[in-house]
Amino acid sequence: MSEETTDSIVSFDEIVLPSGQPRPGMEQIAEWMVSASRSLLKARQAEAETLFRRIGITFAVYGEGGDPERLIPFDIVPRILLASEWDFLARGLEQRVRALNMFLNDVYHDGEILAAGRVPAKLVLQNKAYLPEMRGVSVPGNVYTHIAGIDLVRTGPEEFYVLEDNTRTPSGVSYMLQNREVMMRLFPDLFNNHAVAPVERYPEDLFETLHSVAPAGCDGDPTVVVLSPGLYNSAYYEHTFLADKMGVELVEGQDLFVKNNFVFMRTTHGPQKVDVIYRRIDDAFLDPLTFHPDSILGVPGLMNVYRAGNVSLANAVGGGIADDKAIYMYVPEMIDFYLGEKPLLKNVDTFWCDKPDDCAYVLDHLDELVVKEVAGSGGYGMLVGPKADAKERAAYAERVKASPSEFIAQPTLSLSTCPTFVAEGYAPRHVDLRPFVLVGADKVRLVPGGLTRVAMRAGSLVVNSSQGGGTKDTWVLNPPVGAADEGGADA
């Protein structure tokens, strides 16, 4: 296996030891990598691209000219987690998402964590993502974030960090499911030789989660719909995919209307009451009578129905405050305050430029840090200091000085790598992991694994699909019956 890196620090490789030998538990996949011919792998890679193009999975990549709708690069070498590693991550993810939901319920009701000074009140109440329209609004099961995408990175055998909490409308789960389907089609023998935990039940889990948060006054089985902005949204494929897999209607704002304080869907058989809306539209565009008055994507009067408890929205309105990158710093405080527990998953050390000392440090160390907009997403608007030139850093410093509260900074972590099939053969590429956590009024559901995103450029740390990153199938390997896997993380 060839090596390729531009990093000055050797990163932890998840399959291969520094000696070149496979890590414990990775022997079979390493043997397959060595034995598979390059011509076969190139043919399978081309076949995978053909399948994805036929399926129609694309993502918008803006700002580079040409057609912004690109095929997301897919790598045929799976990313592998041992069962013990996943068990640890699953416990940490559930803990974190429970605390985030308790935080959201608190800040829109009693504000106990703010009164206790554990989270600065200014950071919440003056935040653009905090919506006063949600104060005092009760939601089923006190669940605000029903679908969370928690971005994880790894730096060593037992070192996992949460990089971001995505609690608004996290995307990417359709790629996770299609990656698995394509891999099983291309390499059936490889699956037969490994006990790979299945992910196919995610749509069923999502449907059950949405069912569990139906309004209290719902009679019989609730009617669930997926609300999409429409064809030109970059994640429209995912909207159609999930609606189809759940067996529910995909609707746009014009398909819904409000009457007598209920939401109805227009059908060929007449109006049908809607109970649960899995919305993939940002808060600002949901209801032109409450938020953006020019929005043609939402449903006039929807918020009145929502506040009355006659329809459920997933994720809840106003939940974006929980994925603000400055709020992120205080998630360990939330876990301690609400659960009385120590965080299982670590945060990355974070500097908030609203604090004068933090800002001074960030400006003095831009060449060492990753700087992000607190409300940013998709990899846009960030500075990777070690990869930027002096001119780029100087320009970014002026942005920070102009609006310091809008920026946070973190050390540049040496993200783990996974062998990736490139033109020259196998080469290490940096990866992250986005598991999808489903929170219902009844329980928390997780499918094993998640979406592995991979930085396709040598040495790059930017894995976002919107910035040209690719994806891998993520395998959680169950140990053979009667055996325990080797290695893994401990709580």
Side-chain angles (χ1 to χ4, degrees):
M1 286 177 269
S2 67
E3 288 204 10
E4 176 183 323
T5 181
T6 59
D7 297 322
S8 57
I9 301 174
V10 177
S11 300
F12 170 77
D13 192 280
E14 298 191 5
I15 291 183
V16 183
L17 292 165
S19 65
Q21 297 300 308
R23 295 190 179 279
M26 305 295 172
E27 293 86 358
Q28 280 187 298
I29 192 69
E31 182 181 347
W32 169 77
M33 291 171 61
V34 171
S35 63
S37 69
R38 185 176 298 188
S39 60
L40 173 66
L41 294 176
K42 283 185 176 180
R44 291 290 185 266
Q45 187 81 57
E47 187 176 349
E49 292 178 6
T50 300
L51 289 170
F52 281 119
R53 197 172 298 280
R54 187 178 302 156
I55 293 167
I57 299 183
T58 59
F59 200 94
V61 181
Y62 302 111
E64 296 182 10
D67 183 3
E69 291 295 328
R70 311 270 183 90
L71 192 69
I72 297 178
F74 173 70
D75 182 59
I76 57 176
V77 181
R79 193 262 189 91
I80 294 179
L81 295 169
L82 301 178
S84 59
E85 294 169 340
W86 173 249
D87 288 345
F88 168 72
L89 292 178
R91 287 186 285 120
L93 291 165
E94 180 172 346
Q95 178 195 59
R96 192 173 183 96
V97 174
R98 285 190 184 280
L100 287 169
N101 270 298
M102 295 175 78
F103 168 74
L104 287 167
N105 185 62
D106 185 19
V107 298
Y108 283 117
H109 288 85
D110 298 332
E112 293 179 357
I113 199 168
L114 307 182
R118 302 290 291 272
V119 176
K122 169 190 171 183
L123 181 57
V124 175
L125 302 179
Q126 296 181 19
N127 197 298
K128 294 176 184 177
Y130 181 80
L131 300 181
E133 295 85 353
M134 283 296 292
R135 287 178 185 160
V137 177
S138 296
V139 297
N142 294 331
V143 179
Y144 287 74
T145 295
H146 310 83
I147 303 98
I150 308 299
D151 291 346
L152 303 173
V153 296
R154 188 177 191 179
T155 61
E158 299 182 5
E159 286 77 48
F160 293 91
Y161 292 86
V162 175
L163 195 61
E164 292 182 6
D165 301 295
N166 297 284
T167 63
R168 304 184 207 207
T169 54
S171 63
V173 74
S174 61
Y175 309 128
M176 174 191 81
L177 295 169
Q178 291 289 18
N179 286 352
R180 175 60 54 84
E181 187 172 328
V182 168
M183 279 294 289
M184 292 180 73
R185 179 169 175 172
L186 295 178
F187 301 105
D189 292 340
L190 190 59
F191 273 89
N192 289 336
N193 294 330
H194 291 81
V196 183
V199 298
E200 291 78 14
R201 68 166 288 120
Y202 178 87
E204 182 180 344
D205 284 350
L206 176 59
F207 186 68
E208 291 175 357
T209 297
L210 297 173
H211 259 228
S212 77
V213 295
C218 175
D219 294 325
D221 289 336
T223 297
V224 177
V225 299
V226 177
L227 176 60
S228 171
L231 180 64
Y232 298 105
N233 183 267
S234 63
Y236 183 70
Y237 169 80
E238 179 158 297
H239 307 165
T240 63
F241 177 88
L242 291 175
D244 179 64
K245 291 294 184 181
M246 288 193 290
V248 305
E249 294 293 333
L250 177 69
V251 299
E252 298 180 23
Q254 61 191 356
D255 300 318
L256 305 177
F257 66 94
V258 169
K259 183 178 181 180
N260 298 329
N261 225 19
F262 289 93
V263 177
F264 293 87
M265 171 174 53
R266 294 181 172 90
T267 77
T268 55
H269 302 290
Q272 180 179 356
K273 186 166 75 73
V274 173
D275 302 296
V276 182
I277 300 174
Y278 176 27
R279 52 97 175 199
R280 299 296 294 259
I281 295 177
D282 291 342
D283 291 345
F285 302 99
L286 271 176
D287 182 351
L289 300 184
T290 302
F291 301 118
H292 200 305
D294 297 328
S295 173
I296 60 173
L297 301 177
V299 184
L302 176 61
M303 282 300 295
N304 286 338
V305 183
Y306 185 48
R307 282 190 285 248
N310 292 334
V311 71
S312 296
L313 297 177
N315 287 343
V317 177
I321 186 68
D323 72 9
D324 180 275
K325 291 178 178 60
I327 293 290
Y328 158 93
M329 297 186 296
Y330 296 93
V331 176
E333 290 282 348
M334 298 176 199
I335 293 171
D336 176 63
F337 186 79
Y338 297 117
L339 303 176
E341 299 171 359
K342 292 185 179 298
L344 294 174
L345 297 175
K346 305 173 187 176
N347 264 26
V348 179
D349 291 338
T350 302
F351 304 94
W352 184 28
C353 294
D354 191 59
K355 299 178 180 180
D357 289 347
D358 281 12
C359 191
Y361 179 86
V362 169
L363 292 174
D364 287 343
H365 296 83
L366 275 181
D367 59 333
E368 305 170 10
L369 301 170
V370 176
V371 191
K372 305 175 184 178
E373 300 170 349
V374 295
S377 63
Y380 294 105
M382 65 186 289
L383 176 81
V384 181
K387 303 295 182 182
D389 59 32
K391 183 177 180 181
E392 290 169 330
R393 291 196 293 268
Y396 208 93
E398 294 305 312
R399 292 184 61 202
V400 172
K401 293 174 185 176
S403 303
S405 65
E406 299 299 314
F407 295 90
I408 59 98
Q410 297 170 326
T412 306
L413 297 180
S414 181
L415 273 60
S416 63
T417 62
C418 286
T420 301
F421 187 67
V422 297
E424 297 79 17
Y426 297 115
R429 293 290 186 265
H430 293 292
V431 294
D432 79 351
L433 177 66
R434 175 176 289 183
F436 295 91
V437 189
L438 300 175
V439 187
D442 54 348
K443 64 179 181 179
V444 175
R445 299 170 173 87
L446 291 96
V447 297
L451 178 67
T452 289
R453 302 183 298 179
V454 53
M456 300 303 293
R457 301 185 185 96
S460 173
L461 298 172
V462 182
V463 300
N464 305 76
S465 300
S466 55
Q467 302 294 301
T471 65
K472 287 174 171 280
D473 191 14
T474 308
W475 293 9
V476 173
L477 288 187
N478 292 318
V481 176
D485 58 19
E486 300 179 63
D490 296 321

